């Protein structure tokens, strides 16, 4: 099980590294320790092919963090979801980079809904 978690953490890290080259809606192109992406904010690729942030599928009110194709095409074509099994139940979720967990999704009360759950410690992580 731990090996599977490390495998998925590696996949996440590769995806987040890819996102590292994308531009944030306020011209921020990376997310480092103690910065956050709140529900309603997204990181969008320069050519607008990919979007990273919170979304609700269909008519659901649950909120997920993921990567989707083309920001302005409806319905969203989601290619990766972080918190598939643990959605945020309102629009008050926050995604943060926190040492040593690396990446976490928090709900309105600050409880961790999802994390990369890695045992490795990284100095100065950036997504």
């Amino acid at each position: 099980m731990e090996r599977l978690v490390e495998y998925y953490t590696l996949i996440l890290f590769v995806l987040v590294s890819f996102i590292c080259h994308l531009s944030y809606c306020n011209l921020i192109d990376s997310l480092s320790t103690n910065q956050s992406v709140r529900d309603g904010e997204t990181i969008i690729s320069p050519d607008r092919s990919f979007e990273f942030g919170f979304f609700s599928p269909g008519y659901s009110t649950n909120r997920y963090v993921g990567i989707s194709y083309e920001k302005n095409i409806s319905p969203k074509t989601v290619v990766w979801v972080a918190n598939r099994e643990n959605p945020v139940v309102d629009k008050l979720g926050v995604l943060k980079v926190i040492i040593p967990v690396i990446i976490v999704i928090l709900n309105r009360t600050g409880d961790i809904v999802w994390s990369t759950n890695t045992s490795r410690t990284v100095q100065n992580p950036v997504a």
Side-chain angles (χ1 to χ4, degrees):
M1 181 66 176
E2 186 174 317
R3 192 171 186 103
L4 186 61
V5 169
E6 286 183 9
Y7 174 75
Y8 284 116
T9 300
L10 177 63
I11 289 172
L12 172 66
F13 195 74
V14 169
L15 288 170
V16 171
S17 295
F18 172 74
I19 292 170
C20 191
H21 297 287
L22 307 179
S23 62
Y24 182 65
C25 63
N26 290 331
L27 302 178
I28 298 171
D29 63 359
S30 63
L31 187 66
S32 58
T33 306
N34 297 321
Q35 290 183 310
S36 61
V37 173
R38 298 189 176 284
D39 197 329
E41 300 173 335
T42 59
I43 299 173
I44 303 169
S45 65
D47 66 357
R48 302 188 68 76
S49 294
F50 298 96
E51 180 179 32
F52 176 77
F54 287 87
F55 71 96
S56 289
Y59 295 105
S60 174
T61 58
N62 289 335
R63 304 295 286 166
Y64 300 88
V65 171
I67 299 171
S68 60
Y69 286 118
E70 302 188 26
K71 178 176 176 57
N72 295 319
I73 292 188
S74 186
K76 282 187 181 287
T77 303
V78 178
V79 295
W80 178 80
V81 178
N83 59 322
R84 181 178 310 271
E85 295 179 14
N86 297 313
V88 176
V89 296
D90 55 31
K91 291 189 174 189
L92 299 174
V94 179
L95 178 117
K96 289 186 174 187
V97 177
I98 300 174
I99 296 173
V101 176
I102 309 302
I103 298 174
V104 297
I105 300 169
L106 306 170
N107 64 14
R108 75 166 80 182
T109 60
D111 296 326
I112 296 176
V113 173
W114 180 89
S115 74
T116 54
N117 195 23
T118 181
S119 59
R120 297 179 183 176
T121 302
V122 177
Q123 298 294 325
N124 303 316
V126 175

